[in-house]
Amino acid sequence: MSATVFAPFPWTDVWGQDAAVETLQAAVTDPAAMSHAWLITGPPGSGRSTLATAFAASLIASGPDDEQTMRQVLAGTHPDVTVLRTEKVIISIAEARALVERSYFGPSSGRYRVIVVEDADRMTERTSNVLLKALEEPPEQTVWILCAPSEADLLPTIRSRVRSLRLREPDVAAVAELIVRRTGADPVVAEQSARHAQRHIGMAQRLATDEAARARREQTLRAVLSARGVNDAVEVAGQIVQAATDDAKALTAERDDAERRVLLHTVGIAEGQAVPPAVRSQINALEDEQKQRAKRSVRDGLDRVLTDLQSLFRDVVMLQFGRGDALINEELAPELAALAAAWAPERTLIVLDHLAETREALERNVAPVLALESLLVTVTSGRRP
């Protein structure tokens, strides 16, 4: 792997986005290059949020030597930076209105007040409309930074009021190098994880450091490859949904318990003590928020499974057209080659189309088990149910 040159602080955690860093560094120092609203787009794992936070730190700091202020921003404790990172399925109108209200406050100590909206693509049309005027006529010292996978994920009226900055996708070698530097993972495991995660940095890091996650991924792909009929399709669909649910519980349970303990401690209730009616509404509100987060976590888990399955059948298509040199799932090459020989390319394309439709169905809150059963029936039969 080639050595990578790190950008100066606070950009050191931004990986493989030299052109974007240069653009934002110029905006920090040159008013002519500055915009009141930015849209940072790029595929999941490309570092949108990391770049947005580094930009906010540079904007608020008094200069490149004001490291204390920049570290405060990076730690999420500076009063002039507001970050909305939803763990629910959508960003609510109430959350958007609170952001707009805060955007009209002047900066308390920094040069700017910065509003960062992660996952801006999770705004509905009504929610997006709440932001329009604030984006069109913001106070002089307020800067908006929106993050989304692509410009198409936001309304044209939003896109017309922001300056867009598109991030590039890092290559597998660069992601693997980053994972080795961050975690000390074995380079072979890091390369495999970067390839399997399709260069998604966060997912690659998790795969490289979590042997159980790597095993679950392989087990899921092999189960789909071995399915032969409707009964198998139903069984494997249930296994996938159960695995995603269990994974979500494992990721959120510890945090949920910690949040509950902190809330009870804040209101003066000892562990094991009965919760008085006056505090019950706060507990209920926390539990509702945690349920929304758990739902989002399950949805994200299923989306990752669909992404893995897309990589599987993408590899099959590549083999069918004589391209076996760029497989994502190299470890399954014999099974993929057998499938490529047994199927016509048209059948593989039908499966890939159904995969995209399944993702859309889950976004519309179709029951996950039914959506995956339908998909796997198509996989096993070559026909839509």
Side-chain angles (χ1 to χ4, degrees), residues 329-359:
N329 301 282
E330 292 176 0
E331 297 74 15
L332 297 174
E335 294 88 341
L336 296 174
L339 201 60
W343 286 9
E346 292 78 10
R347 175 170 174 175
T348 313
L349 294 175
I350 288 172
V351 171
L352 285 168
D353 285 343
H354 202 160
L355 269 162
E357 292 167 7
T358 302
R359 177 172 274 119

Side-chain angles (χ1 to χ4, degrees), residues 106-119:
S108 60
S109 59
R111 294 190 301 155
Y112 292 94
R113 176 165 295 280
V114 181
I115 310 293
V116 179
V117 183
E118 298 182 4
D119 299 319

